[in-house]
Amino acid sequence: MDPSPYSGLIADPAKCRLLSVDAKRKFVRELSKCPDRALVLLHELTRRDIIQIFCSELCQNRKYEGVSKQRILHYLFRAVNEKSCGHGKSMKKSGPEPNSSDIQLPYKRQKKIIVQALPAIGSTLVTAGIRVPTNNAHLCKNSACRASLVPADKFCKHCSCCICFKYDDNKDPSLWLSCNSDQFLQEESCGFSCHLECAFRDERSGILQNGQSKKPDGGYYCTHCGKQNDLLGCWKKQLLIAKDARRLDVLCHRIFLSHKILISTQKYVVLHEIVDAALKKLEGELGPITGHPDKGRGIVGPLAVGAKVQKLCTHAIETLESMLNGTLTADPPIQSVGRSNYW
């Protein structure tokens, strides 16, 4: 490189920062004559200085956010070379003057999502594992179920009651009865379910035994298929919830249900009398219990008979387990199971 007024700056490029924009442009033109050293020397300049020189060469004002310092230097020298050769042509073959599209960051290609529809199976169309109803089917209105139904269905077998045809938004399984097969009964079950309260009101269930010629003691008849099902499991669920209940309305409601389940029993009198004693203790302090949540949301703890009632619930559960294990008959006198200890 020939001696020039910028020879001192070449020896110490850091001094270039003190120059004006026009002087910096002239310095860059001088460095373009020796491109091998130019990039190394100009790295001493800040990115802001380089953008300032570049914009001055192009007579444009841009920020060039996201563009690297090395890339801006590349376009700067290309612009200087084109101008120095005259008429927009450089000694070396170069591309057009850089524009905003030249120095934008590369973008990612968006993936093409192809949904492949599978052939129809039965009455529904399966697409990517999702069952979509065809024209001959519709979906259950329960947002937690959404099972496929046919127009002939009056209710959803999966989530609705086979008596009232309604479903619960927050279903509590302990308040439902299901028609299930078991090893003791040979009849096939329909798999339908119903609300416990609906079964109480429907005479076909035989729970309250109003005019029923055939009485399923400790069980009930499915109102859909007529199969006899066990009822003691539901009775036990009510007492399991009652014995650990902290809210007064929950305790009263579960005691009321367990009392109503075996109210007509002749085989499980011993179990019913324990629950009957618990109900009477509650009514002695709170008044009549109707099964409705009319006792408020009080706490069981301050209740004078609360601990005794829950102790009776535990006793009733233990008595049922003794009956099922064969260590206790179904109908002994109540005094023989420790009446004085619990009552």
Side-chain angles (χ1 to χ4, degrees), residues 304-315:
V305 296
K308 294 180 181 179
V309 169
Q310 290 184 322
K311 194 173 182 180
L312 284 170
C313 294
T314 302
H315 177 45

Side-chain angles (χ1 to χ4, degrees), residues 289-343:
I289 295 176
T290 60
H292 300 289
D294 54 359
K295 300 303 177 184
R297 291 179 175 264
I299 305 300
V300 176
L303 191 66
V305 296
K308 294 180 181 179
V309 169
Q310 290 184 322
K311 194 173 182 180
L312 284 170
C313 294
T314 302
H315 177 45
I317 295 170
E318 292 173 348
T319 304
L320 173 63
E321 292 175 350
S322 298
M323 289 180 179
L324 297 178
N325 293 334
T327 58
L328 187 67
T329 58
D331 51 353
I334 193 66
Q335 291 85 353
S336 64
V337 293
R339 176 170 182 167
S340 58
N341 294 334
Y342 289 92
W343 299 9

